[in-house]
Amino acid sequence: MEKNEIHSRSVASIEPLLRFWENNLVPECSHMASVYKDLKEKVNQTPELQGEIEDLDVFKNHKDILTPLMSAIFPPASFHSEIAAALTPYTLEPLFATPKYQELIADTTSSIKGQFNNEKTSSGNNWLLQSYFLVLDKVYNIRQGIDKPIIQSVEDKETGLDTFYRIVPDFQFIDVKTLGEPRKLNGEERATIIENITNTEILATFIDFSKFLFSGFTVARAIDITEPEVISDLEKDLIDQHSIFSSIGIKRLENRLRALFRRPGLMIGIGALQGDQVMIVKSDCNSNVNCLFFNSQHVALDDLAGSVWLKAGEDGKIVRIPDFKELPDPVLAEQQASSVGIRSMLISPLSYQDENIGILEIFSTKPHDFSASDEMMLGQITPLFSVALKRGLDELGKTIQSIIKEKCTAVHPSVEWRFQQVAIKHMERLRFGTASEMEPIIFKDVVPLFGQSDIRGSSLARNKGIQQDLTKQLCFALDVMDTASNKRPWPLLEEYKYRIQKKIEDIATEINSGDEVATCAFLNNEVTPTFESLKGLGPDVIKSIEKYYDALDPVAGVVYDKRKEYEDSVSKLNETLSSYLAKEDALIQESFPHYFEKRQTDGIDYMMYVGASMAESGVLAPFHIKNLTLWQMILSCGLAWHAEHIKPELEVPLDICHLILINHTPLSIRFRFDEKRFDVDGAYDVRHEIIKSRLDKALIKGTGDRLTQPGRIAVVYSNPEEGRQIQQHVDFMTSQGKLNNDLEVLELDDMPDVKGLKAFRVGVNLESVPKSNIIEMKAG
C-alpha cells in the first residue's frame, strides 16, 4: 500500500488536543481550568475549528486560539529554540510549527523539504509502518514496541551542505476511527502479525486502511544528528576499500568531512608511508582505479624534512597550522602549500598498533579556519582513517606480491588451461572497451585428498631449548655478578645474584609463554647496563663479561644454542620430507594431473584435489580416486622411512606422526584471487576444512590417547564404504611388506563440530627400502 492511499483517509483535527487539556492538563494544573474554559468557548464559537478540518488555512486564521492550545505541547520557554511542529496525519503538512522548524525543515509552501534517507534507515517506509502500528495498538490492542528511526537530510541554505535531523514522532494526538466493522483477528492471525510486525506487505493482508480514519495531528520534534550520522557514513565508506584509493571515493569522503566540519571549502589529503617515500592521495587524483600506488603523488621523505607533516608524525599528535603564510622559516614543502593557496590546516598522524603509517590532513584556503574543537573532532575520526589506510597498505602489499607471483610463479600446471580460458575472455572484453573483472574460477565435484606428517612434541622440544638457552645465559650473568661481588661486596650486586638465581630456579621448574621475553628484558634492561661500570673492578670481571657476550648469538643477541639446534633439526627434517613429497608428486602428476599444494610448519602437510571438472578433457574414471588413495598410503610409508633414517643426522631427535584423511564426498573449490590459492566453496563443503583443522588433536574414544603415534599411519574416515576400501589397501600393503601386521580399528572421540569419525592405525615397516614405497600409476 502506498503512502497516498493513507492520506485519503487522514484528516486534521484538534479534538484529541482538547481532550488532552480536559483529561490530563486541567486535573493536574487547576489554575489552567479557566484558560481551558475560555479556549473551549472560543472553539465552540468557531465551527471551522470543530471536527474534521480539510482546509489548513483555518489554523493560520485562528492563531489566537491555536497558539495557547498548543502551549501544552510546545512550551513558550523553548518555542524559539526547539525544532518541532504539529503535522497533519501522514501528509507531513505543518498546521502549527516553531520558527526553527519552519526555517530549517519546512519550505515557503509549508510542505516538508529535504529527503528521507531510505538507504540508511528505510525512513520513507516508516511512516507507513507507524500507521499499521497505530491501528494494531488502538484497534486490536497489539503493541509492537518498535522505534523505527526517521532521519531526514536538509540542505543548509548558507553552506549548501546536508544537515541530518532525526524526527521523533509523537502519535498520542491521533485518533484511529473505524469505518464500518473492522476485520476480527483470531489467535493464529495475531501471532502471524507479531512475527512479521515490520513487513508491510504481510500487514496489508490483515489491515485494510479503507476501514479506518486517522484524525488529529502528529507532533514531530527534530534533533540535529549531523555529527553522528556523518561519522556513521564515514565508517561505512571506509569499510569499502574503494572509498579511500579512488577519485570518486576520496571525493565522497571529502564531502562527508565538509558536512561534519560545516565547511563547504574543506579539502582532505592522506599520506601513506611506504619505505622512504610518502604516497599522497587527494581528491584531484587522476584515476578511478582502486589502487593506492596509481592514485597518489609520490614524495620523498627527505623533501619533507623539518616540515609540519613530519612533526605531526614524529610527535604522534594533531598539529594545527593557523596560517601557512605566518610560519617562521617555512621549508620548501610548506612554501609550496602556501603558493597553491592553502592557508590553514589540521594534520593528524595515522597509526596502527603503535606503528606510524601515515597522516591525514584537512585544509582550507581561509586563514585561521580551524579551531580547538575541530582538533577534537579530527581526533575522533582519525582511527577510522588509520584502519582504512592500513587495509590499503596491506592491499598494496598484496598487489606487489601478485605482480611478483605473476612474473615469477606459474599457475599450477593441472589447472593452467582454465586460467588461460578466463584470461583470454577477460582480455577480449577489455579490448572491446567493456568493463571486466576476472570471472570466478570454480571446480565442482572434486575429491579432496589430505595428508600430514607432524612432529610429535614440537612445543615441548622448543620450550626445552628455550629453557636451556635462558638458563645458560643467566648462568653467565650470574658469573659476572659473582666475580664482581668478590671484588666489591656491594648490596646491589647481591640482590642481582639473588634475582638471577631465582629466575634460574623458576625456569628449571616450568617455563611459560612470557618467561622468554621477561628474562631477556631483565637481562638487557637491568643486568647488562651495569657491565660497563663493573669493568673497572679488574681484569677478572672483564673476562667474565667477555664470556657472557661471547656466548650470545650475533644476530639474535641472546644465547641461542639449543633453540638453533632444534630449528636446524626441524628445518632439515622438513627439507627431507618436502623433497621426497615433491618428487613423488611429480611422478604421479605424469600419470594423472591433479591440483597439489604443500605446506611446511612443524612437519609438512599436503592437499590434493582431483575431479573431472579439473581435467581439460572433462573425463575422470572413478578408478583414479581409489588409485590416488592407495598412493597416499604408500607415500606415507615413504615419509615414515625418511623420517626415521634422517634421525641420526638431527641434533635434536624428532618423532613424526603420519595422518591421512579419507573423504570421497565431492565438493567444490574456488580460486581466491586475493590469496592466490584454492579454497572450498560453500558452507557445506567447509566441513572438510573443519575436520582437517581438528584431526591433529584427535583422541581415541574411551582411552584419551592421541590418535597419531610415531612410526604409525592413522587413516581417518566416516563412510563405511571408505572404510572397506582402506582395509583392502592395508591388506595389500601388508602383503607387500610395507606395513606391519598390527592393524587397529578405532573410533574417535567427538570434537567441536565433528562427530562420528572412525580410523585405522597401522605400523610402518621401517626396514623396507624406500623405493618399494613407490607404485607405478598409469592414466587410463
Side-chain angles (χ1 to χ4, degrees), residues 75-272:
S78 58
F79 186 73
H80 289 278
S81 60
E82 189 176 21
I83 308 171
L87 309 176
T88 55
Y90 304 105
T91 64
L92 309 183
E93 294 181 86
L95 53 92
F96 186 85
T98 65
K100 276 195 172 292
Y101 186 95
Q102 196 66 39
E103 174 191 354
L104 299 174
I105 306 297
D107 60 19
T108 54
T109 62
S110 296
S111 62
I112 294 296
K113 70 177 180 180
Q115 60 181 352
F116 292 114
N117 199 330
N118 295 324
E119 178 184 355
K120 184 185 303 299
T121 62
S122 300
S123 297
N125 198 39
N126 286 349
W127 290 101
L128 178 59
L129 268 177
Q130 291 293 351
S131 64
Y132 284 115
F133 294 164
L134 281 172
V135 172
L136 292 171
D137 185 2
K138 300 196 175 188
V139 178
Y140 294 103
N141 198 29
I142 296 177
R143 292 178 173 81
Q144 45 73 38
I146 296 175
D147 178 21
K148 298 285 285 183
I150 299 172
I151 297 174
Q152 188 173 344
S153 62
V154 177
E155 185 179 294
D156 187 289
K157 9 182 223 191
E158 293 184 4
T159 65
L161 302 172
D162 281 342
T163 302
F164 294 92
Y165 295 96
R166 179 187 176 99
I167 307 297
V168 182
D170 181 353
F171 298 98
Q172 65 173 306
F173 299 103
I174 290 184
D175 291 335
V176 181
K177 300 178 181 180
T178 58
L179 304 177
E181 187 69 25
R183 173 178 176 174
K184 288 184 169 44
L185 299 175
N186 59 36
E188 184 179 345
E189 291 171 329
R190 295 171 73 89
T192 300
I193 288 173
I194 293 171
E195 182 68 23
N196 300 277
I197 197 68
T198 60
N199 189 323
T200 56
E201 292 183 1
I202 292 179
L203 295 179
T205 64
F206 295 100
I207 298 174
D208 181 0
F209 280 118
S210 67
K211 303 294 185 182
F212 304 96
L213 175 69
F214 297 89
S215 174
F217 58 87
T218 300
V219 177
R221 288 183 166 82
I223 303 169
D224 188 339
I225 57 166
T226 301
E227 180 178 323
E229 279 300 301
V230 172
I231 291 176
S232 175
D233 284 337
L234 276 173
E235 289 177 348
K236 293 176 182 177
D237 286 342
L238 291 171
I239 288 173
D240 176 12
Q241 63 180 9
H242 293 270
S243 64
I244 197 169
F245 302 127
S246 67
S247 59
I248 295 175
I250 202 76
K251 285 174 183 175
R252 183 167 61 246
L253 292 174
E254 196 167 67
N255 288 332
R256 301 284 193 212
L257 293 184
R258 286 172 176 173
L260 183 63
F261 287 89
R262 309 295 174 96
R263 287 174 177 80
L266 177 147
M267 291 168 282
I268 70 172
I270 299 169

Side-chain angles (χ1 to χ4, degrees), residues 323-325 330-343:
D323 190 351
F324 269 93
K325 288 189 178 297
V331 300
L332 179 61
E334 295 165 345
Q335 295 174 20
Q336 291 172 339
S338 177
S339 68
V340 296
I342 297 175
R343 296 295 298 272

Side-chain angles (χ1 to χ4, degrees), residues 424-443:
I424 290 170
K425 291 179 181 178
H426 173 63
M427 293 167 62
E428 278 294 297
R429 289 191 293 270
L430 293 177
R431 188 165 69 86
F432 287 104
T434 305
S436 176
E437 294 286 344
M438 293 283 282
E439 66 184 66
I441 296 178
I442 302 172
F443 294 103

Side-chain angles (χ1 to χ4, degrees), residues 461-702:
R462 184 183 290 107
N463 286 341
K464 185 178 179 181
I466 294 172
Q467 184 184 46
Q468 292 173 323
D469 283 343
L470 291 179
T471 300
K472 184 176 181 179
Q473 188 170 348
L474 286 166
C475 287
F476 277 114
L478 182 62
D479 182 64
V480 173
M481 294 302 167
D482 270 330
T483 306
S485 64
N486 289 333
K487 300 291 184 182
R488 294 287 189 278
W490 291 332
L492 185 59
L493 296 179
E494 294 299 321
E495 179 182 317
Y496 276 125
K497 287 167 61 179
Y498 163 76
R499 292 173 66 188
I500 293 171
Q501 188 62 51
K502 190 173 186 306
K503 282 193 175 291
I504 292 172
E505 294 169 359
D506 291 343
I507 291 171
T509 305
E510 181 182 11
I511 187 162
N512 298 312
S513 58
D515 287 342
E516 182 178 7
V517 174
T519 301
C520 290
F522 166 65
L523 290 169
N524 293 334
N525 298 336
E526 295 190 57
V527 176
T528 57
T530 68
F531 288 178
E532 196 61 34
S533 300
L534 296 179
K535 287 179 179 178
L537 298 180
D540 291 342
V541 177
I542 293 174
K543 187 175 181 180
S544 62
I545 292 173
E546 288 174 350
K547 285 182 180 179
Y548 176 92
Y549 283 118
D550 289 343
L552 304 185
D553 183 89
V555 177
V558 296
V559 173
Y560 212 71
D561 300 336
K562 297 301 180 181
R563 279 171 284 190
K564 189 172 187 304
E565 288 177 3
Y566 169 77
E567 290 173 2
D568 290 345
S569 297
V570 170
S571 178
K572 191 167 189 176
L573 177 61
N574 278 348
E575 288 172 5
T576 300
L577 298 183
S578 179
S579 175
Y580 174 75
L581 181 59
K583 182 181 70 174
E584 295 303 298
D585 182 67
L587 292 174
I588 201 73
Q589 289 284 2
E590 293 175 4
S591 300
F592 191 86
H594 57 273
Y595 185 83
F596 179 86
E597 63 182 21
K598 62 183 172 69
R599 185 182 58 150
Q600 294 187 75
T601 53
D602 286 349
I604 60 169
D605 61 49
Y606 63 88
M607 191 74 228
M608 301 162 61
Y609 296 107
V610 61
S613 63
M614 302 191 82
E616 193 167 5
S617 64
V619 177
L620 174 70
F623 167 79
H624 290 295
I625 303 298
K626 294 181 181 180
N627 216 2
L628 285 172
T629 302
L630 177 57
W631 174 82
Q632 274 190 285
M633 298 181 67
I634 297 173
L635 176 73
S636 292
C637 291
L639 290 168
W641 187 92
H642 280 84
E644 184 65 21
H645 285 75
I646 197 68
K647 268 187 180 182
E649 300 177 29
L650 305 180
E651 294 180 278
V652 177
L654 299 171
D655 290 323
I656 293 289
C657 302
H658 308 278
L659 173 74
I660 296 171
L661 172 61
I662 302 298
N663 175 21
H664 290 169
T665 303
L667 49 75
S668 296
I669 60 172
R670 175 189 292 265
F671 186 77
R672 310 290 181 189
F673 284 100
D674 53 345
E675 300 172 5
K676 297 298 180 189
R677 63 186 296 270
F678 280 100
D679 203 352
V680 294
D681 185 48
Y684 176 81
D685 294 337
V686 168
R687 182 175 182 274
H688 180 77
E689 298 297 306
I690 295 173
I691 295 174
K692 277 169 49 182
S693 67
R694 304 277 194 268
L695 279 183
D696 62 331
K697 298 293 188 293
L699 302 177
I700 299 170
K701 182 171 285 189

